[in-house]
Every structure is written in structure tokens, then in C-alpha cells.
Amino acid sequence: MRETFHAQLAELREQLADMCAQAASAMRSATRALVEGDADRARQVLDEDVELDRTRDRCEQAAQQLLALQAPVARDLRFLLTVVHCAVKIERMGDLAAHAAETVLLAHPRRPVPADLDEEFAELGLVAVGMADRLAELIRRADEGCYAELNETDRIVDALHARVMATITGRDWPHGVQSAMSLALLARFYERFADQAVSVAKRLEFAVTGELPDATFSGPSSR
């Protein structure tokens, strides 16, 4: 029975990691659609978001079933609670990538991101995708220290978000108020994507250590 239970936990861990990979793929494609003005790619992101929703449902149902039937304790219990919490967060990451893709369709046939901000949004995409990919690795390995790592990476996203906001609110912004408003919302999608990734990492840390780290946590040496 315990061997079967631990096999089910391993399968659930893999499903959660796959969700992160799906969210990473969605944001990667959404960013490419943004900087290229690719409406077809944007539509593909929206179509694929449905599958991420289904994966979330499967993860939640499997975790709840194991909670009800196996009466897990200690670390196994923390992991199952983490799955229920994190599946929603990761699904939200996919939603945010879909929102970014929708921006492409709303602006079509124009490009939603002007050329003078291509670099910032490409970098936002690169860092955000990297965070989701890293989460997939951390879920599979179940290592301590994941929150500190992702929280530090989130600072890069915050700095890029601040750079975009400074540009679009500056006196020299040449593209008008409507463009600035759209870009502010778009940059916010990336910021929230990264915030959700940090929230997942925080719960993963809890699953491993039994403690929820705070914002000042800087790694195992500080505990």
C-alpha cells in the first residue's frame, strides 16, 4: 500500500512540474507573439490554455483523493497541501500568459509593443519563462532553498517592470496615452506571473522544511 501511495505522490509531483512547463511554454510563445505581432501564435496560446486548466483539475482531484483515502502525515501531508495550493497558482500563470497573448489580438494588425520597448519585453519574457522552467526542476528535486532563489530572480522582473513604467510615463513618450495604458497592463502581467512563481516556491519550501519562509529569508544558512 505504501509503495503504491509513494508512486502516486511521484506521479502527482510530475504532473505539477508539467504544469510549470506548460506555463513556461505559454509565456514563451506569448512573448514571441508580442514582439513579432504574431496573431496566429497568440491564438495558439489561448487554445492551449484550456489544457493547463484540465491539468490543474487533475492535480487537485488526485491530491484531494489521496488526502481523503491515505491519511498522510508530516512531509507527505505538506506536499499534498502544497499541490492543492500550487496547482491554482500555476494555472494562474498560464492565464497571465494568455492575457499577454490577448493583447496581441486586440492590437492586431498593429504590434502591441513599440520597437523602443522590444528589448524590455523580450527580457521580461526570458526571465519569467526561466522562473517557470526552474520551478519545474525544483518540484522534481524537492530541494530546500527554492524560495530564496526565485525571490531573488523576481527582483529582476520588478526592475524591468519599473523601467517600462518609467519609460511610458515619461514626458518624451511618443506613442500616446492609450498605448501607455496598454503597456502598463501588459508589464503587469509579467510582474504577476513572476509573483505567482515566487508564491509556488514559497509553498515548495514549506513542503520540504515545514516552515513558511518570509521575505527576508536568504537560504538555509539563515534558518
Side-chain angles (χ1 to χ4, degrees):
M1 286 291 293
R2 299 307 295 175
E3 289 182 2
T4 299
F5 174 56
H6 285 110
Q8 291 170 321
L9 288 180
E11 182 179 352
L12 194 53
R13 187 181 296 278
E14 191 63 28
Q15 288 179 345
L16 198 66
D18 285 345
M19 283 189 68
C20 288
Q22 288 176 275
S25 177
M27 186 54 89
R28 185 182 295 110
S29 294
T31 301
R32 185 171 175 183
L34 281 168
V35 298
E36 296 178 0
D38 188 337
D40 289 338
R41 188 178 296 274
R43 292 189 189 96
Q44 183 179 358
V45 173
L46 296 177
D47 290 342
E48 292 176 352
D49 186 54
V50 176
E51 180 56 34
L52 185 57
D53 294 344
R54 291 171 180 159
T55 306
R56 179 210 61 202
D57 290 342
R58 288 194 294 269
C59 281
E60 287 183 338
Q61 290 169 6
Q64 290 166 1
Q65 185 176 36
L66 289 175
L67 282 168
L69 298 180
Q70 297 291 345
V73 296
R75 185 163 177 160
D76 292 340
L77 175 59
R78 294 198 304 269
F79 173 69
L80 288 173
L81 293 174
T82 292
V83 169
V84 174
H85 177 88
C86 291
V88 175
K89 297 290 185 179
I90 300 168
E91 187 268 335
R92 179 59 180 157
M93 291 165 68
D95 287 344
L96 289 161
H99 292 337
E102 285 173 343
T103 304
V104 179
L105 300 179
L106 290 172
H108 189 72
R110 296 178 294 106
R111 293 174 68 247
V113 177
D116 38 355
L117 280 175
D118 275 352
E119 181 179 345
E120 283 79 5
F121 277 95
E123 190 170 356
L124 276 168
L126 184 65
V127 177
V129 168
M131 292 177 76
D133 281 335
R134 182 62 176 145
L135 274 179
E137 296 175 359
L138 292 168
I139 289 169
R140 292 185 174 105
R141 284 172 33 188
D143 283 349
E144 186 176 351
C146 55
Y147 172 72
E149 178 182 341
L150 270 292
N151 194 46
E152 187 64 28
T153 306
D154 185 46
R155 298 177 192 275
I156 300 173
V157 176
D158 290 342
L160 287 166
H161 177 263
R163 190 193 308 174
V164 171
M165 294 303 296
T167 299
I168 64 179
T169 58
R171 292 183 178 180
D172 297 331
W173 177 248
H175 304 289
V177 174
Q178 184 174 354
S179 173
M181 292 175 62
S182 176
L183 290 165
L185 184 59
L186 182 57
R188 179 65 171 161
F189 295 152
Y190 284 91
E191 184 191 35
R192 291 298 300 147
F193 185 99
D195 287 346
Q196 297 292 341
V198 172
S199 179
V200 171
K202 187 173 186 176
R203 287 291 176 159
L204 291 176
E205 191 84 20
F206 167 73
V208 174
T209 68
E211 298 178 11
L212 276 173
D214 59 31
T216 62
F217 183 73
S218 60
S221 61
S222 68
R223 293 181 62 244

